[in-house]
């Protein structure tokens, strides 16, 4: 399942936007609804390793757009449960290996459709076992988390663990203090955070580290002004945001950077109007036929 994104160009104020610069909600809804019908396309099968993540992205987008029932709730639950292993973890699709990232998406999806209890009634493993699978990936030495049994460590996995366990109300299964210590070890002189201790600051990793600290109740450990300055510098003249210095802008960083700024109360440090213009200019032209009305 793939989503449309990419860099664009800044432009006029939102008040003077032409019709093609408004959000065509109904077309986005239709696009998401048809993604699983394109099974005769090679891309559909090449992206099977993202299937469960894609369901989460699409479902979340539909909720944000105001169409939470555009996809079948029963079909969503059935698919999520079909991806579960006896260990409690989830793969991206049936018969794929379990991994932290897919397990997090599974929990997020079930929470979104108010179906977490289905784990206990219909799942191959209940909530407690899902929690234990995730908690079992924490390193006793560093407090970080691996993605799976093969031991790749990354602050994405730490955030994912905190996210899923908090939704399951099982955060007590992990060593929060040691995990927070690991996040602090990933902090850099510029206020940002990297993938591991000593790695360069990156907007995506900043979101995961700050998000984990927010869930755990440790936002006081963040140098908010220093980090806010680094994040605000990610905005380019065309309004878009990049993930690191000297990189191109991309719509995905609108989420990573903006969410991080929101968590540290520094949203006003960037030009939100120019960012909105940039995002709208990235809307695929194929979604905007002249016969389709646009909505803001």
């Amino acid at each position: 399942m793939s989503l449309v994104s990419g860099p664009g160009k800044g432009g006029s104020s939102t008040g003077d936007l032409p019709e093609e610069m408004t959000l065509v909600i109904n077309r986005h809804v239709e696009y998401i609804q048809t993604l699983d019908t394109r099974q005769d396309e090679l891309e559909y099968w090449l992206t099977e390793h993202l299937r469960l993540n894609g369901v989460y992205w699409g479902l979340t987008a539909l909720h944000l757009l105001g169409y939470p029932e555009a996809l079948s709730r029963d079909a969503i639950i059935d698919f999520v449960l079909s991806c579960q292993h006896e260990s409690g973890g989830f793969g991206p699709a049936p018969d794929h290996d379990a991994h932290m990232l897919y397990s997090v998406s599974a929990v997020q999806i079930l929470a979104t459709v108010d179906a977490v209890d289905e784990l206990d009634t219909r799942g191959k493993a209940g909530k407690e076992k899902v929690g234990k699978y995730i908690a079992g990936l924490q390193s006793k030495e560093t407090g970080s988390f691996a993605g799976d049994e093969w031991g790749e460590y990354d602050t994405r996995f730490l955030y994912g663990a905190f996210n899923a366990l908090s939704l399951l109300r099982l955060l007590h299964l992990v060593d929060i203090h040691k995990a927070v210590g690991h996040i602090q070890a990933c902090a850099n002189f510029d206020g940002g955070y990297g993938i591991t201790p000593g790695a360069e600051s990156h907007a995506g990793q900043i979101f995961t580290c700050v998000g984990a600290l927010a869930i755990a109740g440790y936002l006081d450990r963040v140098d908010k002004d220093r980090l806010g300055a680094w994040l605000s510098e990610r905005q380019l003249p065309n309004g878009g945001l990049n993930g690191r210095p000297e990189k191109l802008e991309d719509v995905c960083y609108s989420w990573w950077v903006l969410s991080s700024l929101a968590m540290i109360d520094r949203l006003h440090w960037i030009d939100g109007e120019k960012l909105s213009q940039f995002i709208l200019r990235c809307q695929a032209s194929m979604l905007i036929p002249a016969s389709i009305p646009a909505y803001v």
Side-chain angles (χ1 to χ4, degrees):
M1 184 176 289
S2 59
L3 300 179
V4 176
S5 65
K9 300 177 181 178
S12 58
S13 68
T14 52
D16 299 320
L17 291 175
E19 184 175 351
E20 66 270 16
M21 283 288 289
T22 53
L23 187 63
V24 283
I25 293 176
N26 52 344
R27 295 293 287 172
H28 285 286
V29 172
E30 291 173 6
Y31 171 74
I32 295 169
Q33 288 177 316
T34 60
L35 282 173
D36 202 48
T37 67
R38 296 158 55 181
Q39 298 186 22
D40 59 339
E41 298 179 15
L42 179 61
E43 183 182 18
Y44 181 90
W45 300 106
L46 291 178
T47 56
E48 188 176 39
H49 66 289
L50 298 173
R51 192 77 70 232
L52 196 56
N53 299 139
V55 173
Y56 169 70
W57 301 330
L59 182 64
T60 301
L62 290 171
H63 276 256
L64 292 172
L65 293 171
Y67 286 83
E69 299 178 357
L71 295 179
S72 166
R73 179 178 181 272
D74 290 342
I76 289 172
I77 296 171
D78 289 344
F79 178 73
V80 171
L81 295 180
S82 74
C83 298
Q84 191 177 29
H85 290 248
E86 299 290 345
S87 65
F90 291 80
D95 301 320
H96 282 247
D97 291 342
H99 192 280
M100 173 74 78
L101 295 181
Y102 312 126
S103 300
V104 175
S105 287
V107 172
Q108 290 174 313
I109 293 166
L110 293 175
T112 301
V113 299
D114 192 23
V116 172
D117 289 341
E118 295 281 352
L119 289 169
D120 290 323
T121 58
R122 295 175 51 203
K124 294 178 182 176
K127 286 185 288 187
E128 190 76 21
K129 197 163 185 180
V130 174
K132 288 181 178 179
Y133 167 79
I134 294 171
L137 293 172
Q138 184 175 30
S139 166
K140 291 181 172 57
E141 289 73 33
T142 67
S144 185
F145 285 79
D148 56 23
E149 61 186 300
W150 306 111
E152 177 191 5
Y153 287 89
D154 185 327
T155 45
R156 289 178 302 158
F157 308 146
L158 192 159
Y159 165 74
F162 275 27
N163 183 311
L165 291 174
S166 66
L167 291 173
L168 294 172
R169 301 188 180 185
L170 295 173
L171 203 52
H172 62 276
L173 294 178
V174 298
D175 188 334
I176 295 174
H177 181 74
K178 185 156 280 189
V180 169
H182 177 76
I183 293 172
Q184 290 183 282
C186 294
N188 292 318
F189 70 92
D190 53 17
Y193 298 84
I195 190 170
T196 55
E200 69 172 319
S201 296
H202 185 285
Q205 305 304 140
I206 288 170
F207 167 81
T208 62
C209 290
V210 175
L213 292 173
I215 291 171
Y218 282 89
L219 276 178
D220 60 314
R221 306 295 176 92
V222 180
D223 187 336
K224 296 181 181 179
D225 284 343
R226 189 183 294 269
L227 176 57
W230 190 92
L231 289 169
S232 65
E233 289 174 355
R234 306 280 60 77
Q235 189 162 40
L236 301 180
N238 66 6
L241 300 168
N242 63 17
R244 292 176 288 165
E246 304 302 321
K247 296 294 183 178
L248 293 175
E249 67 282 355
D250 192 296
V251 169
C252 71
Y253 292 112
S254 303
W255 167 252
W256 307 121
V257 174
L258 210 62
S259 298
S260 300
L261 286 169
M263 287 187 281
I264 62 173
D265 300 316
R266 299 296 186 275
L267 271 178
H268 57 290
W269 283 18
I270 65 167
D271 189 329
E273 183 176 349
K274 289 194 72 174
L275 177 59
S276 295
Q277 296 166 20
F278 168 78
I279 293 172
L280 288 171
R281 288 186 183 278
C282 293
Q283 192 168 221
S285 58
M286 68 179 181
L287 292 175
I288 317 174
S291 61
I292 300 296
Y295 303 92
V296 176

